[in-house]
Amino acid sequence: MNHTSNGPLQGLRVIELASYVAGPLGGLTLAQLGADVLRVDPLGGSPDRHRWPLAPSGASLYWTGLNRGKRSIALDLRAAQGRRLLAELVAGAGTVLTNAGSRPGQRYEDLRATRDDLIYVQVAGARGGRGSVDYTADAAAGFPLATGTPETSEPTGHVLPAWDVACGLYAAVGLLAAQHDRTTTGRGAHLVIGLDDVALATAGNLGYLAEAELTGVGRPRVGNAVYGTYGHAFATRDGHLMIVALTARHWNDLLTTTGLTAAAHAVEAALGTDFTREEERYRHQRLLDALLQPWFAARSTAEAEAALRPTSVLWSRFRTFREIVTDGRDELLAGPLFDVLDQPGVGPHLAPGSPITGGGRTLGGPHPAPCLGQHTREVLTSLGRTPADIDQLIDSGTVA
């Protein structure tokens, strides 16, 4: 059985036919909330089976991270018998999450023949069927040309695959919406979530596209500043702190902490402005950066943190991934999100459960990712296959 079957989505079964980030993340999100997510992989595994980052053993930390808590069956989906087994699985579950919607036997039209109320959620690329990945969706949506310092002329990408992540979460939400509709109306659904559409919708929702359309001016590059308000990455004696003052209270607390209230008021008077208004802090941000920088430069990161901690100012120290799992290890384990997971082929390491918490605990803790085809016998038995039948399927190369 699914390791997370005691969550709020207990009883929901999803057939996942997906690789790379968006589809598997959608399935992971559902599995962490209690759904029984069954990965159907091709023989030998999906094309992202060995994608970086890798554990010292060579196992993909990317693949195991995105597939925790799921079950796995490996089928030869190029063979008619393998596709028939897939159709049986879909008929039983009634819900599919995929980014393989153009492959024979895996298309909506093929699988809807198994049941009229099929829910089929398809992660796609660009409109018109053209392929797209996070990096190309990002470029098409304008973000790399608004990222970086004002002196930068080259496009600046981002290490976070934001559109893959958002697309995966949209897929999970869309699937649950379709599930709710089927429960109340009996209807199935064929939903398509395009990666490029997710990126463009986000640019629209945040007002970036409307700003360019209505003002004729695109969002400028502002480096680590915060567009339209006040934020700056300050250098301390031994590191960097990100400081953000969104409200007048934040700003006044920052001035009080740094002892610069009188100096800031003198600058306001000279300029005829009011720094309690965030647009004015943004407009004069470079002047304010220069005013505040000496206070941070004269202190260690720890000293600055101690002074800021009792205030309302929004701040955080810049950390590497390595620092998070070493210096911050005890903090991570003290909260509800992380636990030590012993993943076969990888070994013990910190792993998150669902970031959705209730009653002070996560709604779905971390559970190991399956080995490829680990649940093949279990799943085929649930379809009524005898041990002899399963042996024959293995011998014929239909399943692994």
Side-chain angles (χ1 to χ4, degrees):
M1 295 298 291
N2 178 28
H3 295 293
T4 56
S5 59
N6 60 342
L9 296 183
Q10 182 178 1
L12 172 64
R13 179 169 293 172
V14 178
I15 304 301
E16 181 185 304
L17 295 154
S19 56
Y20 296 102
V21 179
L25 178 63
L28 172 65
T29 301
L30 299 168
Q32 287 177 327
L33 296 176
D36 177 14
V37 178
L38 174 60
R39 278 193 62 92
V40 179
D41 280 300
L43 302 183
S46 57
D48 63 343
R49 185 82 173 91
H50 303 290
R51 197 177 187 202
W52 287 23
L54 305 178
S57 66
S60 172
L61 297 171
Y62 158 95
W63 193 92
T64 54
L66 286 171
N67 292 295
R68 293 192 306 269
K70 302 176 186 177
R71 297 193 295 161
S72 170
I73 180 173
L75 300 176
D76 182 359
L77 295 172
R78 296 169 300 179
Q81 194 170 23
R83 293 197 291 269
R84 283 195 295 270
L85 288 172
L86 172 63
E88 288 185 54
L89 292 171
V90 170
T95 305
V96 173
L97 173 59
T98 184
N99 64 351
S102 62
R103 297 174 186 167
Q106 302 177 48
R107 296 172 296 213
Y108 172 70
E109 295 77 12
D110 300 328
L111 294 174
R112 189 175 182 273
T114 65
R115 52 187 292 175
D116 290 337
D117 64 347
L118 175 67
I119 293 173
Y120 188 95
V121 178
Q122 181 179 351
V123 172
R127 286 186 180 274
R130 184 171 60 85
S132 180
V133 293
D134 191 275
Y135 310 98
T136 57
D138 198 41
F143 286 87
L145 290 172
T147 302
T149 65
E151 297 76 25
T152 304
S153 59
E154 294 296 316
T156 303
H158 199 290
V159 67
L160 173 69
W163 313 125
D164 274 330
V165 171
C167 193
L169 298 177
Y170 269 116
V173 171
L175 187 148
L176 293 176
Q179 182 74 16
H180 173 74
D181 184 65
R182 182 168 66 184
T183 300
T184 55
T185 69
R187 294 191 299 255
H190 179 194
L191 306 183
V192 180
I193 302 102
L195 194 67
D196 281 25
D197 285 347
V198 168
L200 286 168
T202 302
N205 292 339
L206 295 176
Y208 300 165
L209 299 183
E211 177 187 43
E213 179 183 10
L214 299 174
T215 68
V217 179
R219 179 185 168 117
R221 298 174 188 254
V222 296
N224 287 321
V226 182
Y227 186 50
T229 188
Y230 186 72
H232 186 68
F234 287 100
T236 64
R237 286 205 311 261
D238 57 357
H240 290 82
L241 285 171
M242 186 67 201
I243 305 295
V244 179
L246 294 177
T247 68
R249 181 188 175 197
H250 296 157
W251 177 245
N252 289 330
D253 275 4
L254 180 59
L255 294 179
T256 300
T257 301
T258 57
L260 292 169
T261 301
H265 287 170
V267 174
E268 283 178 312
L271 296 175
T273 188
D274 178 4
F275 290 149
T276 62
R277 296 169 57 193
E278 64 177 343
E279 65 272 21
E280 291 303 302
R281 294 195 297 277
Y282 176 72
R283 186 169 288 119
H284 299 286
Q285 66 175 50
R286 295 208 172 191
L287 179 60
L288 297 178
D289 295 346
L291 180 68
L292 288 160
Q293 181 60 64
W295 185 90
F296 288 93
R299 288 162 176 78
S300 68
T301 302
E303 290 168 342
E305 286 178 325
L308 292 166
R309 195 168 286 115
T311 75
S312 68
V313 179
L314 305 171
W315 60 273
S316 185
R317 177 167 58 93
F318 284 85
R319 298 187 293 177
T320 66
F321 296 134
R322 173 67 178 166
E323 288 171 329
I324 293 170
V325 298
T326 53
D327 301 345
R329 185 181 182 86
D330 291 343
E331 179 185 352
L332 291 178
L333 290 174
L337 180 60
F338 278 83
D339 204 347
V340 175
L341 177 69
D342 192 358
Q343 173 67 47
V346 171
H349 64 287
L350 290 171
S354 171
I356 303 173
T357 61
R361 64 182 182 86
T362 179
L363 296 189
H367 298 279
C371 299
L372 181 65
Q374 177 179 338
H375 302 94
T376 294
R377 286 186 178 274
E378 174 185 312
V379 172
L380 293 179
T381 299
S382 72
L383 293 179
R385 300 301 194 275
T386 67
D389 293 334
I390 297 172
D391 288 340
Q392 188 276 324
L393 289 169
I394 293 173
D395 292 341
S396 69
T398 302
V399 304

